[in-house]
Amino acid sequence: MNKAKLKVAIILCILFFAMFGCDPQSDQFEIRPGIREYTPLMSSTPGIPLMAVLSNDNQNTGYIFHWITEEGILLDWHEKDGIGRIEQLGKDVRIDQRKIYWTVDFEKEIAGEEFEVSLFIERKDSGEVLQKTSITIVQKEKGWFFVKQ
């Protein structure tokens, strides 16, 4: 009888943690920029690195990161493959990785002085939005950008 109760308790714990321990709704999260200021003249980086950071560093793969920028474009820098290939992703991107880069779209002038980059955490299976956050990027002068705190 004790073994049966132990099995039930283990199963209940697993279910509890599966339901509540890995849910990004219960996490605080933010967009953490890798640098605070950027100009395309900087040759060491393709843009402002933006990282989705969850408070408990949840590694759940049941959701995707939906990034939207009002101005500029979003990039993926394939640093790990050894060739440093940069891929233009566009203004509205759904990816399963936490890091992305923002940069200037050289084919379109930035309309205002301030604009937002938004991040939505969505369930992979349903597309349900679990959380949203954003950062503001300011163009100090033409071609010089900084992340507003």
Side-chain angles (χ1 to χ4, degrees):
M1 188 83 167
N2 286 338
K3 285 185 179 182
K5 286 182 182 179
L6 180 61
K7 286 181 184 179
V8 170
I10 291 172
I11 290 171
L12 288 175
C13 285
I14 291 171
L15 289 174
F16 176 80
F17 286 113
M19 290 174 53
F20 300 109
C22 299
D23 189 353
Q25 284 180 319
S26 63
D27 289 338
Q28 295 296 319
F29 84 108
E30 65 177 317
I31 299 171
R32 188 171 298 156
I35 56 177
R36 291 275 174 200
E37 295 191 37
Y38 171 73
T39 179
L41 301 174
M42 297 171 73
S43 62
S44 62
T45 182
I48 299 173
L50 303 173
M51 177 71 91
V53 178
L54 284 82
S55 61
N56 68 358
D57 199 23
N58 193 330
Q59 298 299 317
N60 188 343
T61 58
Y63 51 85
I64 60 170
F65 302 96
H66 183 185
W67 298 87
I68 300 173
T69 182
E70 294 175 343
E71 297 287 350
I73 56 173
L74 300 166
L75 306 172
D76 188 9
W77 186 10
H78 301 276
E79 299 171 88
K80 294 180 182 173
D81 63 11
I83 58 174
R85 183 172 52 94
I86 297 169
E87 179 182 0
Q88 290 188 3
L89 302 174
K91 292 173 120 15
D92 188 333
V93 179
R94 285 181 170 87
I95 57 176
D96 60 359
Q97 60 195 40
R98 295 168 184 249
K99 190 173 186 181
I100 199 165
Y101 290 78
W102 176 90
T103 195
V104 176
D105 183 350
F106 293 104
E107 296 178 8
K108 185 179 177 207
E109 190 168 329
I110 292 180
E113 291 181 8
E114 292 188 5
F115 55 91
E116 284 194 350
V117 177
S118 300
L119 171 60
F120 301 83
I121 293 182
E122 300 176 353
R123 289 197 189 280
K124 268 188 182 177
D125 57 356
S126 67
E128 174 191 0
V129 175
L130 302 173
Q131 286 195 24
K132 174 193 182 286
T133 191
S134 64
I135 60 167
T136 301
I137 297 177
V138 177
Q139 184 172 208
K140 285 183 177 181
E141 56 188 66
K142 189 171 177 74
W144 190 262
F145 302 89
F146 76 95
V147 178
K148 191 174 185 178
Q149 293 181 323

